Amino acid sequence: MGTATVTGALAMCSFGVAPSSLNFLPTPKVMIEGRPAGTIADIAPGVNVMPFGMCTSLSNPTVAAATSAALGVLTPMPCMPTIAGPWKPGAMKTTIGGKPALTSGATCNCAFGGVVSMTMTGAVRTTAG
């Protein structure tokens, strides 16, 4: 069982340089503490997962090209999360629209090698199991 994750939660990517907020659309969602709750399927870049400032992964083609142009000096480029699969693990028992609820401790992976993890779930009193 973990704390429910709602709009306004904060996340960080292991290759990002700044934290980012998570956003979950209100319909047809469950509201927790007045904000839409997330599910493991909420991974859309720029909609659910906002950019993490600059990306430092050499697996990101724009970072690799900029680093090459700088004669091998790592050159971060703007982040656009490219989430490769759902958040995991989700809640064991709590579902929203037939999908497991997103809870603290869940992570997802960026196609460029980063691991995205939550630093704050946004919910204060509500847990999901």
Side-chain angles (χ1 to χ4, degrees), residues 106-126:
T107 63
C108 60
N109 296 314
C110 178
F112 302 133
V115 176
V116 178
S117 57
M118 280 176 270
T119 57
M120 196 233 357
T121 61
V124 178
R125 301 175 303 274
T126 307

Side-chain angles (χ1 to χ4, degrees), residues 42-105:
D42 290 324
I43 59 171
V47 176
N48 305 124
V49 182
M50 300 299 130
F52 298 96
M54 302 294 276
C55 179
T56 62
S57 172
L58 288 173
S59 295
N60 181 332
T62 61
V63 175
T67 299
S68 179
L71 305 175
V73 176
L74 179 63
T75 306
M77 294 300 289
C79 166
M80 180 45 72
T82 306
I83 306 303
W87 292 91
K88 48 190 182 246
M92 303 267 299
K93 298 177 184 176
T94 305
T95 60
I96 299 171
K99 296 177 182 75
L102 184 58
T103 58
S104 59

Side-chain angles (χ1 to χ4, degrees), residues 11-49:
M12 189 67 197
C13 176
S14 58
F15 283 116
V17 298
S20 172
S21 62
L22 300 177
N23 183 46
F24 308 113
L25 303 178
T27 54
K29 296 286 183 176
V30 170
M31 302 296 276
I32 296 177
E33 298 177 14
R35 293 180 279 175
T39 73
I40 63 166
D42 290 324
I43 59 171
V47 176
N48 305 124
V49 182

